[in-house]
Amino acid sequence: MHKFTIDEKFNVVRSAVGDLKRKLEILLLEEYPQQFPPAQSPDLHQETSVCSLSSESAAKSPEPSISSQFSRWADNVTFDLTTAYDRLAITDQNRKVMVSSNPTYYEPSLKRFCISQVLCSQGFSTGCHYWEVITKDSDGWAVGVARGTIGRRDRLGRTESSWCVEWVGPQKQLSAWHRNQETLLRNDKPLKVGVFLELQKTVSFYAITDREMLLHTFEINNSNPLYPAFWLYSLDKNGSLTINHINRK
């Protein structure tokens, strides 16, 4: 005859108690449904971000002003002379880039673009970063981010390693580009564009007036450093982009 061990006896008792508990819960739910409402499942897609606004500020201002929402992450980026296409002139302490009719005599660099593009010197690997670009003085431009390894003949937004919003003046069309896929956005031209980068999560583009209006957001899953990146329409002579100085608060 089999003799039950202490562990086997304990398992039998635990199973019986579990069955009794489940039957009691069912009985209570049937008899008193209002006193025991079903529990809400947690939102598995909701994440807490170190870059998120506080719930208090979001409630006060559903469309926050620039200073309240982004200035804490402001980075005053500058154009990288070693990457600038030779018909792009960099001026104003490396904060303005302009299409030039004549070549600019930069020092030789293997990082230099062979098309009308330029990166910034500052690359970001972690955290949240924000910068603004004045676009009103150009009729053909793209503002975005790219890995430093983007091909020097690859146009911004046409590769897996770059994301951008782009205005093409002759077509009067604003679009978002990534992996050579275009998303049409709107027909009016933003005069200033803000870029908010949350590494390994998203990059968002805003039209800036006295408020921000979201243009487009890309999800990004990238562990490599990302750089502010720019394209200018090469036939738009003297067309320019200027990085707007922002005080971090």
Side-chain angles (χ1 to χ4, degrees), residues 125-141:
S125 300
T126 60
C128 300
H129 305 272
Y130 178 75
W131 58 94
E132 290 179 356
V133 185
I134 299 170
T135 55
K136 65 182 180 65
D137 298 317
S138 174
D139 201 36
W141 49 264

Side-chain angles (χ1 to χ4, degrees), residues 151-184:
R152 268 28 191 179
R153 296 183 183 274
D154 292 336
R155 185 164 160 182
L156 192 59
R158 275 57 172 185
T159 69
E160 188 174 354
S161 61
S162 61
W163 302 256
C164 74
V165 292
E166 178 181 287
W167 170 260
V168 181
Q171 301 175 13
K172 298 188 182 302
Q173 179 61 58
L174 185 70
S175 304
W177 285 89
H178 174 54
R179 298 179 67 180
N180 207 30
Q181 296 182 2
E182 181 182 20
T183 302
L184 300 180

Side-chain angles (χ1 to χ4, degrees), residues 8 15 40 45 47 58-59 72 78 100 106 149 159 168 189 192 195 224 233 240:
E8 289 174 330
S15 177
Q40 293 183 349
H45 299 287
E47 297 182 2
R72 74 188 81 172
T78 53
S100 175
Y106 295 114
T149 56
T159 69
V168 181
K189 171 187 173 182
K192 186 189 298 182
V195 184
N224 297 309
Y233 182 42
S240 66

Side-chain angles (χ1 to χ4, degrees), residues 11 51 59 69 79 88 92 105 122 132 192 202 204 211:
N11 289 335
C51 303
Q69 183 169 8
F79 294 116
L88 295 178
D92 293 355
Y105 295 100
Q122 297 77 13
E132 290 179 356
K192 186 189 298 182
T202 59
S204 298
R211 299 281 182 178

Side-chain angles (χ1 to χ4, degrees), residues 49 58 241:
S49 168
L241 299 174

Side-chain angles (χ1 to χ4, degrees), residues 90-153:
I90 309 295
T91 59
D92 293 355
Q93 297 180 323
N94 297 348
R95 296 185 185 278
K96 181 176 181 178
V97 57
M98 182 174 65
V99 177
S100 175
S101 300
N102 301 310
T104 303
Y105 295 100
Y106 295 114
E107 294 183 3
S109 170
L110 295 177
K111 298 192 296 180
R112 192 168 311 288
F113 280 105
C114 301
I115 60 175
S116 189
Q117 290 186 164
V118 61
L119 300 180
C120 279
S121 300
Q122 297 77 13
F124 307 113
S125 300
T126 60
C128 300
H129 305 272
Y130 178 75
W131 58 94
E132 290 179 356
V133 185
I134 299 170
T135 55
K136 65 182 180 65
D137 298 317
S138 174
D139 201 36
W141 49 264
V143 173
V145 294
R147 296 175 192 160
T149 56
I150 183 174
R152 268 28 191 179
R153 296 183 183 274

